[in-house]
Amino acid sequence: MTTPLTPEAAPVSQAFGSLADVRIGLPADVRHASVAALNRLLAHTMALRDLYKKSHWQTAGLVFFELHQLFDKHYEAQVELMDALAERVQTLGGVAHALAGDVVSESRLSRAPRGIESAHHQLERLLDAHEFVLGEARPLARAAAELGDDGTNDLIVSQLIRLHELQSWFVWRHISRPA
């Protein structure tokens, strides 16, 4: 029986933070900046995906079924977005975040408590998370455009920003507000 390698000692074909020499018409410095931005957004997306699944599992109350379905639908959309972000990182020659430890070290989204929150607090936390991601994404999209990385700009604007705006709106519409 062999002893498993620790992650630090495991052989890798490409180190995290390095760029493969892909030929897509973008200089390495531009690709490096975009990979860093996309990995940050990917970590936020992974954290938000997990917030949605936690909320899906733990929601309760009068609108349980509706929220249970909403949270699951939003979770699935975040999974699809994660894949698009990770594939763009790889297209640029980078290495995408993929593990829970990556999320913890990279994302600054506020973490939910281990216990069960009320549906209202779940919704508020999700709304705050979407707003945070949108606040990070817009300047990163502009920076990608300024650097000439139209593919990254398009992904951030047409997929990430639009998804977060839509999901934020759906969440916001579920929060009770005084008349």
Side-chain angles (χ1 to χ4, degrees):
M1 182 166 159
T2 60
T3 305
L5 295 172
T6 62
E8 296 79 23
V12 296
S13 59
Q14 182 179 347
F16 185 82
S18 67
L19 289 177
D21 190 23
V22 295
R23 297 176 62 187
I24 61 170
L26 288 172
D29 61 330
V30 171
R31 292 186 295 118
H32 186 71
S34 290
V35 165
L38 289 164
N39 264 327
R40 179 181 310 150
L41 294 172
L42 177 57
H44 296 331
T45 302
M46 293 166 76
L48 186 52
R49 169 209 58 191
D50 293 347
L51 283 176
Y52 269 114
K53 188 51 82 172
K54 181 184 188 305
S55 296
H56 167 81
W57 288 331
Q58 296 180 349
T59 196
L62 295 175
V63 292
F64 161 78
F65 188 71
E66 183 180 23
L67 287 179
H68 188 74
Q69 287 184 316
L70 176 77
F71 293 154
D72 202 40
K73 181 179 178 180
H74 285 200
Y75 167 87
E76 292 296 332
Q78 291 295 321
V79 169
E80 288 181 25
L81 179 59
M82 282 173 42
D83 197 47
L85 291 166
E87 286 177 354
R88 182 65 186 168
V89 168
Q90 301 297 124
T91 299
L92 293 167
V95 178
H97 283 311
L99 301 171
D102 298 333
V103 174
V104 171
S105 67
E106 183 72 30
S107 180
R108 295 185 325 269
L109 283 181
S110 86
R111 294 182 179 38
R114 285 182 159 179
I116 296 174
E117 293 180 284
S118 70
H120 178 80
H121 286 104
Q122 289 172 329
L123 292 165
E124 288 286 352
R125 181 176 307 284
L126 291 164
L127 191 59
D128 290 345
H130 282 295
E131 188 172 28
F132 176 83
V133 174
L134 287 164
E136 293 252 316
R138 289 184 178 106
L140 294 174
R142 285 190 291 276
E146 289 168 9
L147 292 171
D149 186 353
D150 299 326
T152 296
N153 171 271
D154 178 60
L155 171 62
I156 294 171
V157 172
S158 67
Q159 292 184 46
L160 187 140
I161 290 174
R162 287 187 182 162
L163 175 66
H164 280 273
E165 288 176 345
L166 182 64
Q167 287 187 343
S168 179
W169 178 71
F170 268 88
V171 169
W172 176 78
R173 294 297 291 177
H174 279 84
I175 295 176
S176 298
R177 289 182 170 64

